[in-house]
Amino acid sequence: MFINENAGIIILIFGILILAALGVLLWLTYAVHRRFASVRLQFTGLQASDLNAGGAYAALIVGNNSVREIALQELGVRCGNVAYDLTAVYKRQQGLGEEAHVVIEQRRSIRFRLDGEALASLGAGSKKCVKLRLYAVDLTGNVYGGRIRAVERMLAALPPASAEGPLQQA
């Protein structure tokens, strides 16, 4: 008798529970997809110091948070509307040939460094860089970017370099 008399309320309660469970399931699916399946690069710029040589440099790190590997066509630093391609610098530091692709494996990162002289030449010949962004272009043309604030502060503390710096020579 209780079930027959309160059938509407019971169906309403079960309907709300099913909708809530469906909402939680959709949210979990979206969170897992966003965290692992979508291609995301994380950019970090650190102000570092070499204890042996005694010089300061910028350590630039590009991390791949997805479960797919990403092959990069270009890797560099952007200052305003001017982009400085650092792919050759990275390949030279890692001992890669000119024709080799820069590949970031799944759930891994790559790291390279710019010394103070190369960093100072980023803004040479133009206005001082206020916002620095590390960027990467994959083989399909997708552009990823992230701000590197610690390197901005390091660049602001450096004296300006000549217009013919190490990055322009590379």
Side-chain angles (χ1 to χ4, degrees):
M1 293 294 180
F2 176 78
I3 294 178
N4 289 338
E5 292 173 3
N6 299 314
I9 294 175
I10 292 173
I11 290 175
L12 180 65
I13 291 172
F14 277 123
I16 291 172
L17 290 175
I18 289 172
L19 285 176
L22 182 63
V24 169
L25 185 64
L26 285 175
W27 178 77
L28 285 174
T29 303
Y30 175 73
V32 168
H33 172 72
R34 187 177 43 117
R35 184 77 175 144
F36 293 109
S38 64
V39 176
R40 295 179 3 172
L41 294 177
Q42 185 172 4
F43 299 91
T44 306
L46 302 173
Q47 182 176 352
S49 180
D50 189 355
L51 296 177
N52 295 331
Y57 64 92
L60 303 172
I61 303 165
V62 181
N64 179 5
N65 290 337
S66 70
V67 293
R68 292 182 270 172
E69 62 183 28
I70 300 172
L72 300 180
Q73 179 178 359
E74 187 175 332
L75 179 65
V77 174
R78 195 172 75 212
C79 175
N81 291 332
V82 181
Y84 298 95
D85 186 6
L86 300 176
T87 310
V89 173
Y90 174 76
K91 288 180 181 180
R92 186 171 48 247
Q93 288 180 6
Q94 299 302 319
L96 300 172
E98 288 184 25
E99 299 299 319
H101 288 292
V102 176
V103 178
I104 307 175
E105 296 177 358
Q106 60 187 5
R107 311 291 293 165
R108 302 230 185 240
S109 64
I110 60 172
R111 181 183 182 131
F112 64 104
R113 61 190 282 171
L114 288 178
D115 60 354
E117 185 179 319
L119 190 61
S121 70
L122 286 177
S126 66
K127 63 179 184 171
K128 189 82 169 170
C129 287
V130 177
K131 291 184 180 181
L132 278 181
R133 296 184 67 82
L134 188 59
Y135 74 93
V137 180
D138 66 8
L139 293 179
T140 59
N142 296 322
V143 179
Y144 308 95
R147 191 134 175 226
I148 45 178
R149 287 184 176 89
V151 180
E152 288 173 4
R153 289 189 292 272
M154 183 179 177
L155 180 62
L158 291 174
S162 67
E164 194 61 33
L167 292 180
Q168 285 79 10
Q169 295 171 358

